[in-house]
Amino acid sequence: MRRTRRTSLCLAGVMTASALLAAPGVRAAEPTDGHLTDLVNPFIGSQNEGNTFPGAAVPFGMVQLSPDTGHSTGYDYAQHRIRGFSLVHLSGVGCRIGGDLPVLPTTGDVTQTDYAAYAAEFSHDDEQASPGYYRVGLASGIRAELTATPRTGVQRYTFPATEKANVLLNAGQSLHKKVSSQVEILDDRTVRTTITGRGFCRNTLPYTVHTITRFDRPFTAYGTWNGATLTSGSRTGGDGAYVRFDTTRDRTVTATTALSYVDRPGAAVNLRAEGGRSFDAVREAARRAWEQRLRTVRVAGGDETRRRTFYSSLYRSFLAPNVGSDADGRYRGWDLRVHRAPGFTYYQNWSLWDTYRTQAQLLSLLAPREARDMALSVVRIAEEGGWLPKWGYATAETNIMTGDPVTPFLTTAYQQGLLHGFEERAYRVLRQNADGVPPAGLAMAGREANAEYIAGGFAPYVKGRPQTKLGDSDYHQGGSVTLEYALSDAMLAQMARGLGHRDDAARYAARARNYRNVFDPTTGFFRARDASGAFAGPADPARSVGFHEGTAWQYQWLVPQDLPGLIGLIGGARATNDRLDAFFAYDRLLADPERTAREVWVHGNAYDYYNADKYNPQNEPDLIAPYTYLSTGQPWKTTDVVHAALTLFTDTPTGMTGNDDLGTMSAWNVLSSIGLFPVQPGYGTWGLSTPVFDRVDLVLDRRYWPSGGLTVTAPGTSDAERYVQSVRTDRAPYERTYLTTRTLRTLRSLAFTVGPRPSEWGTSPKAAPPVLK
């Protein structure tokens, strides 16, 4: 692979240093004959509601150019007709959004304007994808190829020899709900569109995208359409345009489309900045960008399937959030005004209820410069839009999901040292969010039940309460919302203490114990309370009400700030371990890990959240639950559960556990495979479990991680040899089951010795992750 000399030297220096510190007998992370991008399968998760997309993108790019087959979020591997190749997709979300400007090549007369009617058939036998590139042969005889830059998508079509080679640009249809659309043919090579849509999981606020498409040669004919009415020779239309080429001699047509959320001039700026190169040059640049990202982690050991699922997960972890600012630094804020991003890149698309648990921490480790800009972007949203977001798409709040996920997202950035110089600005908007409720005039719902939570110590569950804002309501999920608010208070308390706000820190730390107020001692589980304070719904924790996308069984472990306190409520370590064992079906797990994961844990499709008393590895509420054993004196069981869960990731279109949710599940795979997991999301605590690779080399940015790199070794790790016998950090014995970010910043080597049976390592009460006070 071609790299800049600076990158090569940096990489070589880190790898050499890591090699010097590696455990004896463990060879350096193995090179591949080709490229790490060759190990990525973009089709993983594209079937059974994994909702990933196989199309072309660069890391964190504004554009994700990918085929749409009629599935609500874009691509479904089980379908065989492509409606168009559209510009915007989110990896693994559960609701429709994006899909703007689906473009499809056709031949012959243009007679249809509905993309469900003119969709092209294809076969997976003639389809391939790799990072930054997608290709498919259509049944019409046309070959379509896609690649991308950060703000442009490039399409190359190879037509049969014909005088009627068409490209259809459909502005009126997409994955979202249309509000308005406009199409203009500017000259004999250029088409411009403006598209406004809304949707996602509810009828949320609208957003607008502007596109400009430049073809590599002149059209021979063109037209536009409004609804079902086609007008040949027309230059303006409401819903779409077609352009025609003569391919009797030159059979290829290339189009570059630039996107802007700012305005029409912004799209033109992006086209000038990133367009103008050949398709092959753009494809090669995209591959190099992905290769550089993937090379931040090099692994040795494990079979090829495990390496493929690992690097495919690492790839998906770098797909979002997405660049929101144009090449000139302008972006459209949540006040719908145009702003500039001085000294940073503005990002958008915030699946915070998901990503605060895994992906935020992974990016802080492997992409800290981008993670810093992402955190600053969220602060900007609050300063310009009036309040912090919950689930933001483009320039609008959707208010999808509940609780307070933005707080641990931003406190993670603070704890990782990413907010240097902006700490007080971030704290100011976090404090506003933690102590208040957004005014009625703002779209953001914030902590909707905060008044009751602060006054009474819990968020009430009020079934059927009329919603005052679009999206989900915290009042409909009072049980889980209380736990989420308390977790966020705990993390904000640590930030307040670090910044010297002692009174605030004490206040938030006291509120962090509010999880106790929804614990029912008669059942031994958390239960939602109604507005009067009475416990609501069935006593059976598997049939509980007021828990968002889960049950009381799954939410009972969401107290990472005070697991000893939770253990005390349950009845002590023995009772807690018994309950954990029941939750994970541990006896069955030991006998057959993979079957238990697939037949006991996964009890339905990706959206079967309720009526279950077992671990749900397909959804977010109990992602950190396997690591609870680190606090109960049985850390070897964490390894047993984690390694069983990892079998759910396979190298097939169905190889995703649930929706990926903008890299959440993928980041879980990456971190758990390495053996480092953020067990207190929002704080700098990394739980330890047995890695699945003999060796992992992490290349780290010295500006944020002074060590410059970390080598994790576990020689001989396997299904049979998976239990930690001892751990050494930079050759010194280490007995705790966690590392802090402070330690991790300077650490050069983390060495696991593994064996066939559990050991005494990590079983001391002092070895457990800390209580956040």
Side-chain angles (χ1 to χ4, degrees):
M1 176 189 126
R2 291 176 292 176
R3 296 190 296 266
T4 64
R5 184 170 183 268
R6 179 179 179 183
T7 301
S8 299
L9 289 174
C10 177
L11 208 83
V14 171
M15 300 297 275
T16 301
S18 297
L20 292 174
L21 291 166
V26 180
R27 57 193 174 87
E30 59 194 26
T32 58
D33 293 335
H35 306 284
L36 292 179
T37 49
D38 296 336
L39 295 174
V40 174
N41 179 0
F43 291 105
I44 293 175
S46 62
Q47 191 173 346
N48 285 5
E49 303 301 337
N51 294 350
T52 59
F53 65 86
V58 296
F60 313 119
M62 181 185 291
V63 168
Q64 306 86 36
L65 185 57
S66 190
D68 294 326
T69 63
H71 187 267
S72 62
T73 58
Y75 183 90
D76 179 0
Y77 194 84
Q79 300 184 27
H80 296 89
R81 298 178 78 236
I82 291 174
R83 299 183 176 192
F85 305 101
S86 64
L87 289 170
V88 179
H89 298 83
L90 296 183
S91 182
V93 297
C95 299
R96 64 173 66 241
I97 198 70
D100 301 284
L101 196 63
V103 177
L104 191 72
T106 68
T107 58
D109 294 328
V110 178
T111 60
Q112 297 283 349
T113 63
D114 180 355
Y115 67 179
Y118 63 65
E121 293 186 0
F122 75 102
S123 168
H124 296 306
D125 294 336
D126 195 9
E127 183 185 37
Q128 68 179 58
S130 60
Y133 177 72
Y134 172 87
R135 182 194 64 75
V136 66
L138 305 178
S140 59
I142 301 169
R143 184 175 70 233
E145 297 174 275
L146 315 178
T147 189
T149 72
R151 299 174 180 86
T152 74
V154 186
Q155 307 179 52
R156 181 167 66 186
Y157 302 124
T158 303
F159 288 91
T162 176
E163 294 180 349
K164 293 182 177 181
N166 313 305
V167 178
L168 281 58
L169 299 93
N170 194 330
Q173 293 180 289
S174 61
L175 302 178
H176 60 61
K177 299 174 183 177
K178 173 188 169 182
V179 174
S180 65
S181 58
Q182 182 181 15
V183 180
E184 301 171 88
I185 297 177
L186 300 182
D187 56 39
D188 64 357
R189 292 174 182 249
T190 313
V191 180
R192 183 169 67 186
T193 74
T194 299
I195 302 167
T196 300
R198 66 192 313 163
F200 204 49
C201 297
R202 307 287 188 275
N203 190 26
T204 52
L205 294 173
Y207 69 95
T208 299
V209 294
H210 307 271
T211 80
I212 187 166
T213 301
R214 181 76 172 171
F215 290 86
D216 65 340
R217 55 175 163 136
F219 327 136
T220 58
Y222 56 82
T224 65
W225 69 81
N226 292 289
T229 303
L230 278 157
T231 306
S232 177
S234 170
R235 288 185 175 272
T236 60
D239 290 319
Y242 71 89
V243 295
R244 177 167 292 162
F245 302 88
D246 183 343
T247 60
T248 53
R249 293 189 178 183
D250 183 357
R251 294 174 55 196
T252 63
V253 174
T254 301
T256 301
T257 302
L259 176 66
S260 171
Y261 290 87
V262 179
D263 51 25
R264 291 175 176 179
V269 164
N270 293 339
L271 184 64
R272 287 195 299 271
E274 300 182 12
R277 290 180 292 169
S278 71
F279 182 93
D280 290 331
V282 174
R283 177 187 175 184
E284 174 61 17
R287 188 197 63 78
R288 288 199 307 269
W290 279 114
E291 192 72 22
Q292 184 173 351
R293 288 289 173 189
L294 297 176
R295 283 181 178 270
T296 56
V297 185
R298 297 297 297 269
V299 303
D303 59 25
E304 184 175 351
T305 297
R306 176 154 279 170
R307 290 194 296 273
R308 284 189 176 279
T309 59
F310 178 84
Y311 278 107
S312 297
S313 290
L314 186 60
Y315 160 76
R316 291 188 300 271
S317 299
F318 291 134
L319 285 171
N322 306 104
V323 170
S325 52
D326 289 341
D328 60 4
R330 296 185 309 144
Y331 66 92
R332 190 166 294 276
W334 282 32
D335 55 1
L336 300 184
R337 297 177 180 176
V338 178
H339 303 272
R340 285 192 179 273
F344 76 104
T345 298
Y346 180 81
Y347 287 87
Q348 58 192 24
N349 301 337
W350 307 103
S351 182
L352 296 174
W353 187 81
D354 310 291
T355 59
Y356 87 80
R357 309 163 197 258
T358 58
Q359 195 234 17
Q361 292 82 359
L362 182 64
L363 295 188
S364 75
L365 192 66
L366 299 180
R369 283 180 292 175
E370 291 80 3
R372 167 190 177 272
D373 288 0
M374 292 166 188
L376 294 182
S377 299
V378 169
V379 173
R380 280 291 189 104
I381 287 173
E383 293 176 339
E384 295 159 0
W387 212 269
L388 284 166
K390 182 171 288 185
W391 209 125
Y393 180 76
T395 57
E397 173 63 276
T398 72
N399 287 322
I400 294 303
M401 305 313 299
T402 49
D404 178 18
V406 70
T407 292
F409 171 81
L410 281 177
T411 60
T412 289
Y414 167 73
Q415 296 294 344
Q416 306 302 89
L418 305 180
L419 291 176
H420 181 67
F422 296 89
E423 296 95 336
E424 288 294 345
R425 285 175 63 178
Y427 180 74
R428 186 160 54 246
V429 295
L430 282 168
R431 189 177 187 273
Q432 176 195 45
N433 177 70
D435 290 344
V437 177
L442 291 181
M444 297 80 134
R447 285 184 169 200
E448 186 184 11
N450 217 18
E452 294 90 339
Y453 171 81
I454 293 173
F458 65 92
Y461 165 67
V462 187
K463 182 179 180 180
R465 183 183 190 273
Q467 293 183 229
T468 59
K469 297 188 178 182
L470 299 172
D472 291 314
S473 172
D474 283 0
Y475 288 105
H476 298 169
Q477 313 292 348
S480 58
V481 162
T482 300
L483 298 176
E484 301 256 18
Y485 285 6
L487 183 156
S488 295
D489 283 336
M491 303 310 160
L492 188 54
Q494 303 307 308
M495 182 177 182
R497 185 173 292 112
L499 294 176
H501 301 294
R502 295 182 179 179
D503 291 343
D504 284 354
R507 183 161 51 87
Y508 295 134
R511 280 170 29 183
R513 292 168 58 85
N514 281 346
Y515 72 88
R516 293 173 173 266
N517 296 332
V518 290
F519 186 83
D520 181 358
T522 66
T523 65
F525 285 85
F526 294 121
R527 291 181 70 187
R529 290 181 181 269
D530 63 21
S532 73
F535 286 115
D540 181 354
R543 302 292 187 270
S544 51
V545 299
F547 291 87
H548 205 168
E549 295 189 0
T551 68
W553 268 100
Q554 291 151 1
Y555 270 97
Q556 67 184 313
W557 315 112
L558 195 61
V559 191
Q561 71 271 24
D562 184 19
L563 280 176
L566 173 63
I567 291 167
L569 291 177
I570 292 174
R574 176 176 293 182
T576 303
N577 280 322
D578 288 345
R579 186 174 295 181
L580 282 164
D581 290 351
F583 180 62
F584 292 113
Y586 186 72
D587 289 342
R588 295 179 64 176
L589 177 72
L590 286 181
D592 194 336
E594 185 171 355
R595 185 173 182 180
T596 301
R598 293 195 174 279
E599 297 183 7
V600 180
W601 295 350
V602 178
H603 62 279
N605 66 38
Y607 303 111
D608 283 339
Y609 308 125
Y610 300 108
N611 302 326
D613 63 356
K614 293 294 183 286
Y615 175 49
N616 181 5
Q618 298 191 111
N619 205 28
E620 280 74 15
D622 51 1
L623 281 183
I624 62 175
Y627 295 88
T628 306
Y629 284 117
L630 302 184
S631 295
T632 64
Q634 296 185 336
W636 66 90
K637 291 183 178 179
T638 288
T639 292
D640 288 331
V641 173
V642 167
H643 285 210
L646 288 171
T647 66
L648 296 169
F649 293 86
T650 66
D651 185 23
T652 67
T654 60
M656 173 64 62
T657 172
N659 302 153
D660 198 26
D661 289 319
L662 270 65
T664 299
M665 297 300 184
S666 290
W668 189 94
N669 181 12
V670 171
L671 291 163
S672 294
S673 297
I674 291 172
L676 280 172
F677 191 85
V679 294
Q680 293 179 317
Y683 193 65
T685 309
W686 303 79
L688 303 180
S689 65
T690 307
V692 299
F693 297 108
D694 289 346
R695 174 169 172 153
V696 181
D697 290 305
L698 305 178
V699 180
L700 306 178
D701 189 328
R702 289 185 182 275
R703 284 171 290 186
Y704 300 93
W705 302 94
S707 68
L710 174 67
T711 294
V712 181
T713 55
T717 183
S718 67
D719 291 341
E721 302 271 337
R722 67 174 182 266
Y723 296 113
V724 177
Q725 307 298 299
S726 65
V727 174
R728 300 181 72 85
T729 54
D730 288 347
R731 300 190 181 278
Y734 192 78
E735 297 298 327
R736 293 179 178 175
T737 60
Y738 69 96
L739 291 169
T740 65
T741 292
R742 178 176 296 182
T743 300
L744 201 56
R745 280 205 176 98
T746 58
L747 196 63
R748 305 294 292 276
S749 68
L750 176 64
F752 293 82
T753 299
V754 297
R757 290 176 295 277
S759 72
E760 293 298 313
W761 176 84
T763 59
S764 164
K766 294 182 180 180
V771 176
L772 302 184
K773 299 179 179 179

